Structure formats: C-alpha cells, structure tokens
Amino acid sequence: MKNEKDIIIVGYGAAGAAAALTAANLDASVVILEKQPEDAHYSSTRMSGGLVMGADDADAAARYLDECSGGMIPAEVSRAWAEKAIAVKDWMRSVGIESVHMAGGWYPKLDGFESIKVFGPLPKGTNPDEVEIELPRPGELTFKFPLPFGNGQLLHDLLVEAVDASDSIEVIYDCPVSELMTIDGVVRGVKAAGEYKGTTFAAKKGVILACGGFEQNQEMILNYLKAYPIYFYGSEANTGDGIRMAQAVGADLWHMNQMIGRAVGHFAHPDGRELTFNISLNPPGYAIVDKHGKRFANEHLQAVSKANFYYELLHYDADLLDYPRIPAYWIFDKRRVEARALSGGSFGNYAWSKDNRAEIDMGWIAEADTIEAAAAAAGVLDPAAAARAIEDYNQACKFGSDRFGRPADSLIPIDEPPFYCMPVYPGGATTNGGPRRDARARILDPFGKPIPGLFGAGELGGAIGMLYPSPGANLGEAFAFGALAAECALEI
C-alpha cells in the first residue's frame, strides 16, 4: 500500500475534524479523505444550525441520553458520550472555537434533562463573557431573528481553520473511498475511487469512518426508514458509502430506522433539481392539516424545532392503505409571509428569497384569497375540510384553548388574506443508522466483537436512538465519538 499514515479518516465533517484534531494532538499523522471537491465541500455540519450539545453533569447526562435512546443504545455507549459532553466546550476552545450557552435539551419530562447545555460557536475575536443570550423556554428552540450567533457555516469555517493549522493533518478532497483494505482480518487501509481510482492509503493504527449516513440514497430510505417518501436537507454526498464498506468487512448495523426528523419542504425547481428545505413555522399563526384537510397534532412541536413532531407524520391508515399525512399541508396568512423567510434555504444549493415571493411565484407556496382556494391549489384533497379546520382553529385562538394542546401564546388566528398553503413531508437533517459501535467507537461485527482497525463516528451509526436529545446533539455526538475513535485507535 502507498500513502501511509497513522490514522485514515473517511469524511470531513464535524466527526472527521474532531478525530483528526484529536489524533494530531496526540502526535499522530493523519489524512482526511473527503468525497466532495474543496470548492463544493458541503458537509452536513456546514449545512446544519451549527449548535453543539454539551452537558454539565456526566451522570445526569448519561441518564438523559439513555432515556432518549429508547433502549436502542447500550447504557455504556451513552455514558461514554456523556463523559465527553461535559468537556465539549473546553475541547472546542482548545481548537480555537469559543462558544456561548444558547439552549438546553428537548424533553423536560426525562430524568437528567437539566444537565444538557447547547452551545453556539462564536466568530473569531468574540469574548463569550460579553455575549448576552436570552435562553428559550425549557424544551424549545426559538430565538429572536436574526440569530445572534451559531450556524453551520461558521462552525465549518472554524473547524477547517483548525485543521489547516495542523502540520500533522493532510486533507485530500474529491477523493471518494470505495473499499476497506484488510490484512489477516485487520483493517489496514482504504482504496480510493474517482480521480484517485487505484490509489490505496495505508493506516498504521486505524481507519475512522466519518462519512455520514444515507439520506441521499432513495433505495436505502425506502427499505430502512419508517415511511416513504422521506426527504433530507443534509449533505448530497451522504449516500451510504460507509455503511456498505463496513458491511463488506463484517460490520453489524443498528437502528437503521432512526433519523433526526421534522416536517420539511420539498420542491421541484424549474431547472430540474429537487430541493429539500428546513422550514420555520414561527411566528404564528400556523396550522398543519393532512391530505384530507384535517388537523392531527400539536404543531407547536414543529414550530420550536422538536424532532419528535416527525413521528406524527408517519401515521399509516390501514383502511385507506395510505399515509394520509405524506404530504401534510402548512396553512398560514400574509402576516407570516411578511414576517420573514419561511426557510433559511439550502446552503450551496438555493438561497430562499427574503420576502418569499420567488417561491410563491414558482408555485411552491399556493396563494389565494380564501383558505379553501389556497388549499385546493396546493393539492389538499378536501379543501373545504381544510377551511373548516382553520375556522375551528381560529375559534380555539379566540378562547385560548386548543384540543391538541398548543400553548396559548402560539394560538394566533389565521385570518388575514391572502392565505397560503404549502406541502410538507417527513424529513430532516440526517439519518442515524449505520455500523454498530461500542463505547470506544470501535465498529462491531454481528457477534459484538470489534473489527480490528475500524472505528466509526458521527451520523454513520450515531449513538442516537428513539428521541433526538437536544438541538445540536448530532454535532455533540460527532465531536465525542470522533475524539473517542482517535483515542482508541492510538491506544490512549
């Protein structure tokens, strides 16, 4: 084999960067092999909100993470994450990233919730002691816009700067990896594809797979996730490569049916592209109805970005033999359109217009003088039922009490024309399933034995089960297991 390093890292997002920086700090030589070209390096980290989950109490955080996992993650794996989480703020500072406390966990009902602290990265030169943040209510993620700090582009830039500053880390872009190379059952390197086809890279200590999930692989989505279609706004490079490579050397898989979910917008652009967007219901009023025009859940969960609203969209009607909430329809009025953009766009792919007019003109958002007409134009099968649903909702606003349990301060009527209706689908940022790993980030075979020389980090088999623990949990997990993978590979 050629191009020998101590550590080979496949994928350059938060997990890959954390693994590389940790390994370099331990005097190891590192190469990161990134599938995308440098001028189009849009990792899920870069396309994320940039928040990072930490904690202030390892015992409490371990209990909370264990409850969120729904039994899908062994307690010792959650414990390993929790122990890294209490140090994540200091770890970020050690690589030049200052941060500020911006939110907490999602689920106040669960034991250990109070230990979760979510941090937002700060621009270079910003003193965190001088930053004032008005924290959202427990279990919510709502800020006054524009967001004061914290976004994926900023976090990406700071990580890239830290990696570039290390003489021990080499980054090779536009270098997809097609195969893991083994010698006597030990993973000793990788085989590249694309422009580097035929090139092999040897690892003295280990290979760390940090190359994302399968959110852009429709066959895997259809066969593994809980419904179909489901759309993602994460990296276009995440097509399940690492999962297949790990399987080829005997890896077991876990929680392949799990993802970080919410309602998303998905549209066909006039140029032929299909684009998926995170959407922002706030500020109210808002309501979401199913294909038949009926409200079905507490939309406030979606409005404050809780990932559990996604479960409400997955209902299957055994009589109709259909998913009546795929798509569902978001209904609102001119006040929401005039307040701000409905989406932050898709980084590197599409810039959403500030006044929403371009998207209305393309037909992504139906506009009409009545609720019924807007619902009909958007595709609701019973637009009259949608109009009645909004009448009922407006009555609930009048009395300050909603049958689905919406908070009173979210009950703002939808009564100022023109009215708007937009289809929404189950979707989100990333999948969570992939190669099973242990508390040291070692990838395991179906009998629970580590595959020598192979490690995993980030959303490729991330340690996230039934409930997404907090805003930024995926990035916090990526930092934790990226570091654990490097430490274990180097026998620290």
Side-chain angles (χ1 to χ4, degrees), residues 299-320:
E299 303 97 337
H300 179 70
L301 300 176
Q302 171 72 22
V304 297
S305 299
K306 279 197 174 181
N308 56 341
F309 182 80
Y310 140 85
Y311 285 107
E312 300 285 2
L313 299 170
L314 304 182
H315 170 69
Y316 184 78
D317 190 309
D319 182 38
L320 297 176

Side-chain angles (χ1 to χ4, degrees), residues 164-366:
D164 287 348
S166 173
D167 293 333
S168 300
I169 304 171
E170 179 184 5
V171 180
I172 302 177
Y173 291 95
D174 211 6
C175 184
V177 173
S178 60
E179 187 178 343
L180 296 169
M181 310 295 289
T182 62
I183 299 175
D184 297 329
V186 180
V187 175
R188 292 297 191 189
V190 302
K191 183 183 293 185
E195 291 185 10
Y196 290 86
K197 185 176 182 180
T199 304
T200 58
F201 296 84
K204 297 178 186 178
K205 297 292 187 178
V207 174
I208 300 172
L209 295 178
C211 45
F214 58 91
E215 52 264 26
Q216 306 303 337
N217 185 315
Q218 290 300 312
E219 182 180 1
M220 295 179 80
I221 290 171
L222 176 62
N223 284 282
Y224 286 126
L225 297 183
K226 298 176 185 290
Y228 192 83
I230 293 177
Y231 298 110
F232 292 87
Y233 50 83
S235 176
E236 293 183 356
N238 292 354
T239 55
D241 306 352
I243 297 171
R244 292 188 294 273
M245 286 190 286
Q247 284 182 290
V249 297
D252 193 16
L253 302 180
W254 64 351
H255 53 266
M256 290 295 290
N257 62 348
Q258 291 305 116
M259 55 176 278
I260 301 169
R262 49 182 56 92
V264 302
H266 180 82
F267 308 101
H269 192 277
D271 66 10
R273 292 178 296 160
E274 290 194 8
L275 299 170
T276 303
F277 303 94
N278 194 6
I279 58 171
S280 180
L281 268 60
N282 271 324
Y286 52 77
I288 296 177
V289 301
D290 67 11
K291 289 180 181 178
H292 307 284
K294 300 176 181 178
R295 283 184 69 212
F296 55 86
N298 175 359
E299 303 97 337
H300 179 70
L301 300 176
Q302 171 72 22
V304 297
S305 299
K306 279 197 174 181
N308 56 341
F309 182 80
Y310 140 85
Y311 285 107
E312 300 285 2
L313 299 170
L314 304 182
H315 170 69
Y316 184 78
D317 190 309
D319 182 38
L320 297 176
L321 306 181
D322 188 28
Y323 292 100
R325 301 169 188 175
I326 305 179
Y329 294 86
W330 171 21
I331 297 174
F332 48 99
D333 65 19
K334 79 168 187 176
R335 286 175 293 186
R336 176 62 191 87
V337 168
E338 292 176 352
R340 59 185 176 87
L342 305 183
S343 171
S346 176
F347 194 84
N349 294 310
Y350 181 85
W352 195 281
S353 65
K354 292 182 179 180
D355 62 1
N356 303 296
R357 179 45 55 184
E359 294 72 31
I360 294 168
D361 291 344
M362 281 191 290
W364 295 359
I365 307 161

Side-chain angles (χ1 to χ4, degrees), residues 91-158:
W91 182 85
M92 287 193 291
R93 178 177 290 123
S94 76
V95 298
I97 303 173
E98 293 288 356
S99 62
V100 63
H101 179 203
M102 292 187 71
W106 278 135
Y107 307 107
K109 296 178 181 179
L110 300 185
D111 183 27
F113 160 83
E114 70 286 345
S115 69
I116 301 302
K117 301 293 183 288
V118 176
F119 302 102
L122 297 174
K124 281 284 187 180
T126 304
N127 184 346
D129 294 332
E130 297 176 356
V131 175
E132 293 184 7
I133 296 289
E134 183 180 338
L135 294 176
R137 292 181 297 195
E140 296 187 3
L141 184 63
T142 52
F143 299 108
K144 296 177 181 178
F145 282 81
L147 290 180
F149 297 107
N151 62 70
Q153 176 65 56
L154 174 60
L155 183 61
H156 166 89
D157 290 346
L158 294 169

Side-chain angles (χ1 to χ4, degrees), residues 25 92 119 169 179 192 353 398 436 440 445 470 477:
N25 190 51
M92 287 193 291
F119 302 102
I169 304 171
E179 187 178 343
S353 65
K398 181 179 179 180
R436 184 185 297 272
R440 301 186 67 197
D445 71 13
S470 77
E477 194 272 356

